[in-house]
C-alpha cells in the first residue's frame, strides 16, 4: 500500500486517547476540489487520509495529531470526537453531486479495496473497537448524510472491519404498527432510549419529532440502506433491537 503525503495546516494536538475511526465522503465535484479545501487554512477542515476513486491514498495529517473532520458531533456520550478519532475522506460526490442518472455515485471497487487496506493498517496500530468504526452521519445525525446509504458497510464487515449481524437469524419478533413523526408516548421513549444507548447523541423524549426522524434516518443509512425513510416501521424497529443488543454486548 503506497501513500502519498500532502500536508494540511488544519490540525492541532489531541486531547483524548485515539479509539475511534470515522468515514466520510468528500461531497464535492472532484477529489482535487476536496484536497484543495482540506489544505486551505481558511476552510479549517481536514482529515488524516483521503482515498481516491482509483485507490490512491493521500495522507494529510499525521495520526497522532487532531484533524478537523468531525465537527460538532457525539457518540456514546462523548464529544470532541476529533481528539478521539482518525478521519478518512473517501472521494465521492454523495448527495450533492450525484451520478448522471440522478442516483448516488458508486464507490468503485479499487477505492473500496484501498479503504479496506488502509483501515486494516490503522487497526494494526490502534485499538479501535468495531462499535467505534462509524460514519459521519452516525456521529452527527442531525446535519450529516455521509458516507451515505450507498456505502458498503456490509462489505467492510465481511472483511473483518466493523459489524454487520445476520439480521434474519437474530431478529426478534416485534408486534405493533411501527412509529412515525407525530407519535408520542412510552413506545417513542423506548425507541429513542435504544438509539441513545447504541451511541447516537440526542435528547431522549417521548415525542417523535424532527430530531427523532433525523436519528432514525441516520440509523437506516447505516443499517437499513434500502429503506431510508425516517419512519420506524417494524423492520426498522427489529433492526434497532438487533443493533442495540449487539452494541450492548
Amino acid at each position: 500500500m503506497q501513500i502519498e503525503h500532502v500536508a494540511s495546516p488544519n490540525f492541532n494536538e489531541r486531547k483524548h486517547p485515539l479509539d475511534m475511526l470515522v468515514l466520510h465522503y468528500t461531497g464535492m465535484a472532484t477529489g482535487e476540489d476536496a484536497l484543495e479545501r482540506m489544505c486551505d487554512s481558511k476552510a479549517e477542515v481536514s482529515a488524516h487520509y483521503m482515498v481516491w476513486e482509483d485507490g490512491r491514498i493521500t495522507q494529510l495529517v499525521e495520526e497522532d495529531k487532531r484533524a478537523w473532520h468531525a465537527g460538532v458531533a457525539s457518540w456514546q456520550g462523548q464529544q470532541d470526537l476529533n481528539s478521539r478519532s482518525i478521519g478518512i475522506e473517501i472521494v465521492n460526490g454523495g448527495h450533492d453531486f450525484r451520478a448522471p442518472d440522478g442516483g448516488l455515485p458508486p464507490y468503485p471497487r479499487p477505492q473500496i479495496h484501498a479503504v479496506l487496506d488502509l483501515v486494516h493498517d490503522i487497526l494494526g496500530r490502534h485499538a479501535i473497537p468495531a462499535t467505534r468504526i462509524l460514519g459521519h452521519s452516525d456521529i452527527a445525525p442531525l446535519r450529516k448524510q455521509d458516507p451515505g446509504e450507498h456505502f458498503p458497510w456490509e462489505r467492510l464487515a465481511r472483511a473483518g472491519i466493523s459489524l454487520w449481524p445476520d439480521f434474519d437469524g437474530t431478529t426478534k419478533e416485534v408486534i405493533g404498527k411501527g412509529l412515525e413523526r407525530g407519535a408520542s408516548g412510552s413506545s417513542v421513549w423506548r425507541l429513542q432510549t435504544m438509539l441513545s444507548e447504541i451511541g447516537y447523541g440526542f435528547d431522549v423524549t417521548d415525542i417523535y419529532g424532527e430530531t427523532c426522524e433525523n436519528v432514525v434516518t441516520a440509523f437506516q443509512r447505516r443499517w437499513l440502506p434500502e429503506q431510508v425513510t425516517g419512519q420506524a416501521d417494524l423492520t426498522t424497529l427489529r433492526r434497532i433491537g438487533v443493533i442495540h443488543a449487539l452494541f450492548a454486548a
Side-chain angles (χ1 to χ4, degrees):
M1 182 176 62
Q2 293 186 337
I3 299 177
E4 66 173 349
H5 295 262
V6 177
S8 169
N10 301 328
F11 67 89
N12 56 4
E13 298 299 319
R14 292 188 182 275
K15 302 176 183 178
H16 302 286
L18 195 169
D19 66 351
M20 180 180 292
L21 190 148
V22 181
L23 301 179
H24 309 253
Y25 62 45
T26 53
M28 300 187 74
T30 68
E32 287 78 9
D33 289 345
L35 184 62
E36 181 179 358
R37 183 166 185 266
M38 288 191 287
C39 291
D40 181 357
S41 61
K42 295 179 181 178
E44 296 187 344
V45 65
S46 63
H48 293 90
Y49 297 96
M50 188 173 80
V51 182
W52 300 78
E53 298 99 328
D54 60 5
R56 287 178 293 131
I57 300 173
T58 300
Q59 182 170 13
L60 294 92
V61 175
E62 295 296 325
E63 291 180 4
D64 64 339
K65 302 301 182 183
R66 179 180 180 271
W68 304 342
H69 60 97
V72 177
S74 67
W75 187 254
Q76 296 175 340
Q78 296 176 337
Q79 286 76 43
D80 188 12
L81 301 190
N82 281 334
S83 282
R84 306 176 189 275
S85 64
I86 287 177
I88 299 176
E89 290 278 357
I90 306 167
V91 177
N92 186 280
H95 294 81
D96 292 330
F97 294 89
R98 293 177 175 262
D101 65 359
L104 294 172
Y107 289 94
R109 182 175 297 179
Q111 187 178 49
I112 293 302
H113 287 171
V115 170
L116 295 176
D117 289 344
L118 176 59
V119 173
H120 277 302
D121 192 52
I122 291 169
L123 295 180
R125 292 188 294 276
H126 305 286
I128 299 176
T131 55
R132 293 172 73 82
I133 298 176
L134 306 163
H136 202 184
S137 58
D138 292 319
I139 63 174
L142 306 187
R143 62 187 186 87
K144 291 296 181 179
Q145 303 179 82
D146 57 309
E149 56 270 30
H150 58 313
F151 185 74
W153 285 106
E154 186 176 2
R155 174 70 180 87
L156 267 67
R158 292 201 306 270
I161 298 168
S162 189
L163 300 168
W164 194 269
D166 178 5
F167 289 108
D168 292 335
T170 58
T171 298
K172 295 182 179 180
E173 186 63 27
V174 176
I175 59 175
K177 61 179 181 179
L179 299 166
E180 60 185 5
R181 190 165 179 172
S184 61
S186 59
S187 295
V188 175
W189 184 88
R190 287 194 298 271
L191 163 70
Q192 295 186 10
T193 297
M194 284 196 293
L195 289 167
S196 176
E197 290 175 351
I198 289 170
Y200 294 95
F202 68 110
D203 293 330
V204 174
T205 71
D206 61 354
I207 299 173
Y208 201 123
E210 181 179 3
T211 295
C212 183
E213 187 175 76
N214 286 339
V215 175
V216 170
T217 298
F219 176 90
Q220 291 170 329
R221 288 191 199 284
R222 174 72 182 270
W223 302 107
L224 192 60
E226 68 277 11
Q227 188 176 312
V228 182
T229 64
Q231 298 181 14
D233 67 345
L234 293 183
T235 300
T236 301
L237 290 174
R238 293 186 188 103
R239 296 216 169 177
I240 290 172
V242 171
I243 299 305
H244 180 263
L246 183 66
F247 276 46

